[in-house]
Amino acid sequence: MDLDRACRAAGIGVVNVSAHDGRPRVHRAVPSLSTRLVVGLGAPITVHYDGQTRCSPAVTTGLMRPGVATPSMTLRAHQPIAYVELAPSTLRRLTGVPLSEFDAGGVSADATLPWIDTLAEELVDHPGGDRERLLRVRLLEQLSRADYRTESEDALRALHLIGAGAGTVPVAELARAAHLSPRRLRFLMRQSLGITPKFASRVARLASAVRRARAGADSWTQVAAESGYHDHSHLVHDFHDLMHTTPTAWLAEEGRNLQGRRLPAP
């Protein structure tokens, strides 16, 4: 099995090591049902979340929580940052910490991953082009040593179905797939993951809308209709509630990363 396939099978998604080129700027995270490991190479990273700002060499982040917008991070010029997208069950295995104890603002990785400092030093010592492969290899090695610990299989299966359905699968259908009552499923997800099926569906729906906007669309009205929103105002409400911004303001922030693509009209 090649490295990329092995990573996908292990729940390791996007792996990227890059450095911002230009003035310092704030990068807003997009809502997601995945978890993350973010490592600053050579300097700590600055994370803004829930009205607080803190610096840490590396953070492990969990799922979003109701009432709190996505975190953001200050990108400094020429500061390499390693970013890894992890399936929730993969973060649980790596850290041994219940997912309900993580939120999207994260915790310092050195508190949950005793090997993270060694990994960061190794990444710094390797050429830029080798870092992503090395990061994948080391994560697979750590997973091979980890005890198999997971949350409720029913909760994780429901979370997967929510993501696969882009947040449009009704809770009753999710419960039937798990052979549970909707009430029991809500309890299991809140206990194991810290969120309910309804909130996870909101996150997945907005994530789907952002992906559609990035891929190109004629208008935000089209994005809203294709992403399962009642109307454009419903989409704007979720942007404000989950990201503390508007679709138009988000485009202005991310425009430099979307050059050459057809962007939605207001």
Side-chain angles (χ1 to χ4, degrees), residues 161-174 197-198 200-206 208 212 224-229:
L161 291 174
I162 290 169
T168 61
V169 181
V171 174
E173 187 174 331
L174 295 169
K198 182 177 180 180
S201 296
R202 287 186 67 198
V203 172
R205 191 164 53 241
L206 186 56
S208 174
R212 290 177 188 276
E226 293 178 349
S227 303
Y229 285 92

Side-chain angles (χ1 to χ4, degrees), residues 169-265:
V169 181
V171 174
E173 187 174 331
L174 295 169
R176 281 196 299 272
H179 304 290
L180 298 169
S181 68
R183 181 178 180 181
R184 179 62 179 169
L185 178 62
R186 282 192 290 269
F187 172 80
L188 285 177
M189 288 190 65
R190 187 182 296 111
Q191 181 185 56
S192 296
L193 308 178
I195 57 175
T196 63
K198 182 177 180 180
F199 182 75
S201 296
R202 287 186 67 198
V203 172
R205 191 164 53 241
L206 186 56
S208 174
V210 170
R211 286 194 299 271
R212 290 177 188 276
R214 280 177 164 165
D218 291 333
S219 66
W220 283 110
T221 299
Q222 177 189 348
V223 170
E226 293 178 349
S227 303
Y229 285 92
H230 299 310
D231 52 29
H232 178 262
S233 63
H234 187 195
L235 171 64
V236 171
H237 175 271
D238 267 10
F239 254 95
H240 183 269
D241 199 35
L242 299 179
M243 296 181 69
H244 282 184
T245 189
T246 65
T248 302
W250 174 79
L251 274 184
E253 289 177 350
E254 292 297 307
R256 63 176 294 158
N257 297 324
L258 301 172
Q259 292 178 6
R261 301 190 185 188
R262 186 177 80 257
L263 304 180

